């Protein structure tokens, strides 16, 4: 989309690849004259939690492990829980927002670089 073009001079491109029975991958890149500081966020449903574990992020519902999230790029990863500042949001209906955890990847993404996030099913 070109929603960042006027303010930042870049176009954001995102693609999704589905790997049946294994998971899916999200690829983000910028098209423009120069790289930018970016923040890629994935907001989680309030019923699930996330934690960094063994170089990946584990998403679970209660004790059930649902997904491993691995990210390939120079961006830093963080998990922000719903009870902390800067948390994410979940919207159960129009005009309603409930605090939720979010996974964020941030740093400089240069032109021509891609940020690839892999979500692997564990169930």
């Amino acid at each position: 989309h070109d929603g960042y073009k006027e303010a930042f001079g870049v176009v954001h491109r995102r693609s999704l690849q589905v790997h049946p029975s294994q998971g899916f991958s999200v690829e983000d890149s910028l098209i423009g004259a120069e790289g930018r500081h970016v923040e890629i966020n994935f907001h989680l449903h309030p019923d699930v939690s996330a934690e960094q574990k063994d170089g990946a992020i584990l998403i679970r519902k209660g004790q059930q492990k649902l997904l491993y999230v691995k990210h390939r790029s120079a961006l830093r990863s963080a998990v922000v829980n719903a009870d902390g500042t800067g948390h994410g949001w979940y919207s159960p209906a129009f005009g309603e927002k409930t605090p939720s955890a979010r996974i964020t990847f941030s740093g400089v993404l240069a032109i021509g670089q891609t940020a690839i996030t892999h979500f692997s099913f564990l169930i």
Side-chain angles (χ1 to χ4, degrees):
H1 69 82
D2 64 0
Y4 301 123
K5 191 169 187 172
E6 187 174 320
F8 303 108
V10 295
V11 172
H12 174 225
R13 178 169 287 159
R14 173 171 275 180
S15 64
L16 173 69
Q17 291 185 353
V18 177
H19 313 287
S21 76
Q22 296 175 1
F24 58 96
S25 300
V26 177
E27 183 175 318
D28 292 286
S29 61
L30 298 177
I31 301 167
E34 62 184 58
R36 292 286 178 186
H37 183 273
V38 299
E39 187 172 279
I40 301 169
N41 292 293
F42 296 97
H43 297 258
L44 303 177
H45 188 279
D47 290 347
V48 301
S49 63
E51 65 179 288
Q52 292 196 15
K53 187 174 181 121
D54 302 327
I57 296 171
L58 172 62
I59 298 176
R60 65 172 80 219
K61 183 175 182 179
Q63 295 302 311
Q64 183 181 16
K65 296 176 182 179
L66 301 176
L67 292 168
Y68 267 122
V69 181
K70 292 187 179 182
H71 186 76
R72 281 195 355 224
S73 79
L75 303 179
R76 293 176 313 277
S77 64
V79 174
V80 183
N81 291 310
D83 56 359
T85 58
H87 54 72
W89 295 102
Y90 169 75
S91 180
F94 182 74
E96 295 180 31
K97 289 187 350 183
T98 302
S100 69
R102 72 180 167 97
I103 299 169
T104 184
F105 302 100
S106 62
V108 174
L109 188 63
I111 298 301
Q113 286 184 320
T114 58
I116 302 173
T117 309
H118 298 282
F119 296 82
S120 300
F121 299 133
L122 297 174
I123 54 173

